[in-house]
Amino acid sequence: MLTITSKNTNRRHVHERIRKKILGTSERPRLNVYRSLNHVYVQLIDDVQGTTLIAAHSAEGKKGGNLAAAKEVGKMIAERAQAKGIKEVVFDRGGYIYHGRVKALADAAREAGLKF
């Protein structure tokens, strides 16, 4: 029988596989990326406590979800993390391919001082 799945359903399955392998703690939280058509969102999550420590999204800075906005969000999250004393994170690409906006966000966060 042929089943039809959407890209988002497939992404969620990939994200579930990734989540089985990684865990964020308060010392080294999980950097989770979500991208929509219009914006890019990122959170630092402590999975042990079940809390979001820091969040940033592209609607705060430049409007839109393009590469420039993703780079700005990467810098914002790195600055906010360092202000709270977080230097190392576990990267969770959210089931997306490490390419384009996801890669730009990760590279900008690394350049701003986060280690992962």
Side-chain angles (χ1 to χ4, degrees), residues 62-92:
K62 289 184 179 178
K63 300 293 181 191
N66 56 13
L67 280 175
K71 288 177 185 177
E72 189 174 322
V73 171
K75 289 177 188 174
M76 276 194 290
I77 198 74
E79 291 167 0
R80 292 177 187 177
Q82 289 177 346
K84 283 203 168 189
I86 298 170
K87 295 178 180 145
E88 290 190 10
V89 297
V90 178
F91 188 67
D92 176 10

Side-chain angles (χ1 to χ4, degrees), residues 31 39-44 54-64 68-84 86 104-114:
L31 181 97
H39 295 288
V40 177
Y41 305 86
V42 64
Q43 295 178 330
L44 288 180
I54 305 167
H57 51 88
S58 60
E60 296 175 22
K62 289 184 179 178
K63 300 293 181 191
K71 288 177 185 177
E72 189 174 322
V73 171
K75 289 177 188 174
M76 276 194 290
I77 198 74
E79 291 167 0
R80 292 177 187 177
Q82 289 177 346
K84 283 203 168 189
I86 298 170
L105 187 143
D107 290 342
R110 281 191 189 106
E111 288 173 9
L114 277 183

Side-chain angles (χ1 to χ4, degrees), residues 1-108:
M1 179 173 190
L2 180 66
T3 58
I4 300 173
T5 58
S6 67
K7 281 186 177 182
N8 197 39
T9 304
N10 290 337
R11 180 195 66 80
R12 286 182 183 167
H13 288 302
V14 172
H15 191 210
E16 287 174 10
R17 278 200 317 263
I18 293 169
R19 286 286 291 119
K20 287 179 185 177
K21 299 173 187 172
I22 63 173
L23 178 73
T25 63
S26 58
E27 297 85 27
R28 193 170 177 193
R30 177 170 55 99
L31 181 97
N32 184 34
V33 176
Y34 176 76
R35 63 180 176 88
S36 67
L37 290 176
N38 297 324
H39 295 288
V40 177
Y41 305 86
V42 64
Q43 295 178 330
L44 288 180
I45 303 169
D46 178 2
D47 290 317
V48 176
Q49 299 289 329
T51 58
T52 298
L53 305 174
I54 305 167
H57 51 88
S58 60
E60 296 175 22
K62 289 184 179 178
K63 300 293 181 191
N66 56 13
L67 280 175
K71 288 177 185 177
E72 189 174 322
V73 171
K75 289 177 188 174
M76 276 194 290
I77 198 74
E79 291 167 0
R80 292 177 187 177
Q82 289 177 346
K84 283 203 168 189
I86 298 170
K87 295 178 180 145
E88 290 190 10
V89 297
V90 178
F91 188 67
D92 176 10
R93 59 188 171 89
Y96 300 106
I97 297 172
Y98 187 77
H99 178 72
R101 292 184 285 168
V102 176
K103 184 177 186 298
L105 187 143
D107 290 342

